[in-house]
Amino acid sequence: MRFLHTADWHLGRTLHGADLGPAFEQWCDHVVDLVTQEDVDALFISGDVYDRGIPPVTMVDLLADTLQRLVERTRVIMTSGNHDSAQRLGFGAGLSRDGLYIYTDSRRSNVPVVIDEAGGPGALVYPIPYLDPDMERSRLGGEELLDRSHTAVNAKALERIEEDMRSRSGNAGRGAGQPYRVVLSHSFVIGAEPSESERDISVGGADSIGSHLFQLGGLTDYVALGHLHGPQRVGTDKDPLMRYSGSPIAFSFSEENHVKSSVLLDTQAKDPVTLIPAPVYRPLATLQDTLDNLLSAKYSDYTDHFLRIRVTDPDRPPNLFAKLAARFPHVLEHQHLSEANAVAIAELQSIKNDPLSVLREFFKNAGGRELTEAESDLITTVWEGVGKEESCTSAV
């Protein structure tokens, strides 16, 4: 059987204010063509279908049209991610037409999509939506309130999946005429490499989970991961084959060197994974030089790129942005990077990357001592509460 693993479409996202609508349309056309050309038995979308809880109407229409074309050609199995509104994405999921499976309820993740195969064992696909620890610790735990962590809620969901796998095939492991078993998960697995464009999903300081949770007694064949935007394999030799497909489009300049792709999974092949490059709407690049050099023929190949430009003249040139924009119509970010302000920019970046460390340093300098463990925990709790409130507000 052949499956196409994708994730993190983020329909509706922009890049430094630039409209990515044409890029999303290009990607959707590419996926429809690909499932046809490769005779794909099912398409996986492992979360973050939309970029926010209330997506733009144009993106809702684009997804509806794309799904209509896809289900005429293959099955589509998708889950909600931390960016999606599970309620909105899952509305009417029970009424979905044959071939479209939308999983947004964690309590259904142990009910697989069964894919029959002529003359073969077929496949079982277990889609797990993004699990918010605050919501799922009681939903999945039942009478037992689970720990407030990603590890606890994911472990419980996977425990229920393992029970279903064993009920269908006993203790038979991978192969041996058994169905090919796939788990979809939108999570941050320890050891994976993030980029700057993923929003934080941490709770209680523990935002990642161990790859060993997916072993399920040796029953899992493939784990189709979503959330991180760089395509990569994760896990150890003891784990099943696990990959992030990555996002189909670059959403930050930290991804300018990514080769965006989707994963074509062939269950019968000796090497089951083939990476299919995604179309590039407009490449990203970072240029750093003096203004005279930037405006010269040296950089003539970059006029069609989305650009981040750092100008290194000792003094800030007059009308800097106007001159850059006249030469490069798609410049999205520019900085005057003199020796004097380079340190300030680096400090701003460190604040962006680790705001809690900056807060602790502030209180240390203001109070003349290190914070106690209780005080540090309080700051973490308040910070996460603010972030959660902002996330809830944006989804309303």
Side-chain angles (χ1 to χ4, degrees):
M1 305 192 77
R2 293 161 71 81
F3 303 117
L4 187 66
H5 167 202
T6 71
D8 298 280
W9 290 22
H10 286 279
L11 298 176
R13 190 157 186 164
T14 60
L15 177 64
H16 291 272
D19 178 24
L20 294 178
F24 292 124
E25 293 173 3
Q26 182 185 47
W27 162 251
C28 290
D29 289 340
H30 168 75
V31 171
V32 172
D33 291 341
L34 195 55
V35 299
T36 304
Q37 296 166 7
E38 298 294 342
D39 193 22
V40 168
D41 292 287
L43 167 69
F44 306 149
I45 310 177
S46 297
D48 282 353
V49 184
Y50 293 121
D51 187 57
R52 55 184 183 269
I54 304 179
V57 173
T58 54
M59 293 296 103
V60 175
D61 291 342
L62 176 61
L63 181 63
D65 175 71
T66 302
L67 292 176
Q68 175 69 36
R69 291 190 288 160
L70 285 167
V71 296
E72 293 172 356
R73 296 162 170 82
T74 190
R75 304 168 185 83
V76 178
I77 305 171
M78 68 179 183
T79 68
S80 51
N82 59 301
H83 283 238
D84 299 306
S85 165
Q87 291 80 7
R88 291 187 178 90
L89 188 66
F91 173 74
L95 305 177
S96 297
R97 59 175 293 177
D98 289 343
L100 177 59
Y101 306 89
I102 304 173
Y103 276 65
T104 60
D105 186 341
S106 62
R107 295 166 296 187
R108 292 184 60 238
S109 57
N110 64 329
V111 180
V113 177
V114 179
I115 303 178
D116 295 323
E117 178 186 13
L124 301 173
V125 182
Y126 295 87
I128 307 175
Y130 167 66
L131 303 179
D132 181 283
D134 283 321
M135 296 183 63
E136 303 299 342
R137 59 196 301 238
S138 58
R139 284 162 56 93
L140 287 172
E143 296 181 0
E144 171 198 3
L145 188 63
L146 301 175
D147 289 341
R148 182 177 174 263
S149 70
H150 286 277
T151 294
V153 294
N154 278 277
K156 188 63 176 180
L158 289 163
E159 175 188 313
R160 299 174 74 226
I161 289 173
E162 182 177 357
E163 290 174 358
D164 185 80
M165 288 182 178
R166 293 192 184 282
S167 72
R168 294 171 184 270
S169 56
N171 292 320
R174 296 192 289 267
Q178 294 298 316
Y180 196 84
R181 305 175 185 111
V182 180
V183 175
L184 274 61
S185 175
H186 191 86
S187 53
F188 188 168
V189 175
I190 293 173
E193 183 66 32
S195 59
E196 292 179 1
S197 61
E198 301 107 3
R199 289 181 196 160
D200 184 28
I201 62 172
S202 64
V203 172
D207 60 348
S208 54
I209 62 176
S211 60
H212 67 281
L213 295 179
F214 295 94
Q215 292 176 9
L216 305 186
L219 298 177
T220 318
D221 291 284
Y222 183 73
V223 181
L225 294 167
H227 177 58
L228 300 187
H229 295 173
Q232 57 194 292
R233 180 173 179 175
V234 294
T236 68
D237 292 340
K238 296 180 180 180
D239 300 322
L241 178 59
M242 307 173 63
R243 288 200 66 95
Y244 284 97
S245 66
S247 63
I249 298 167
F251 297 122
S252 76
F253 283 99
S254 68
E255 301 172 50
E256 65 184 72
N257 294 320
H258 287 181
V259 178
K260 297 299 185 181
S261 60
S262 51
V263 180
L264 182 64
L265 182 68
D266 189 332
T267 66
Q268 303 300 320
K270 182 177 180 181
D271 185 0
V273 167
T274 301
L275 300 184
I276 308 295
V280 178
Y281 167 65
R282 199 180 298 284
L284 274 65
T286 298
L287 307 182
Q288 182 169 318
D289 210 332
T290 64
L291 181 60
D292 286 345
N293 285 342
L294 288 165
L295 300 181
S296 71
K298 178 180 179 181
Y299 295 101
S300 59
D301 291 339
Y302 291 89
T303 55
D304 195 45
H305 286 55
F306 282 135
L307 291 177
R308 172 174 60 180
I309 300 180
R310 294 165 176 161
V311 181
T312 60
D313 296 59
D315 297 317
R316 181 181 177 88
N319 303 316
L320 177 59
F321 180 73
K323 292 176 181 178
L324 292 174
R327 180 72 171 84
F328 304 105
H330 306 292
V331 57
L332 302 182
E333 179 182 332
H334 75 287
Q335 298 172 338
H336 176 226
L337 195 63
S338 68
E339 189 174 325
N341 64 19
V343 174
I345 292 173
E347 290 177 347
L348 286 173
Q349 186 61 41
S350 68
I351 292 172
K352 178 181 177 182
N353 290 341
D354 194 358
L356 281 173
S357 293
V358 175
L359 281 172
R360 294 188 183 97
E361 186 67 21
F362 167 78
F363 283 113
K364 174 185 173 182
N365 292 334
R369 62 173 177 81
E370 297 280 356
L371 293 176
T372 66
E373 183 176 350
E375 291 169 338
S376 182
D377 289 344
L378 177 60
I379 290 172
T380 301
T381 300
V382 172
W383 176 261
E384 289 171 352
V386 171
K388 186 172 182 61
E389 184 175 338
E390 289 178 352
S391 176
C392 293
T393 301
S394 67
V396 172

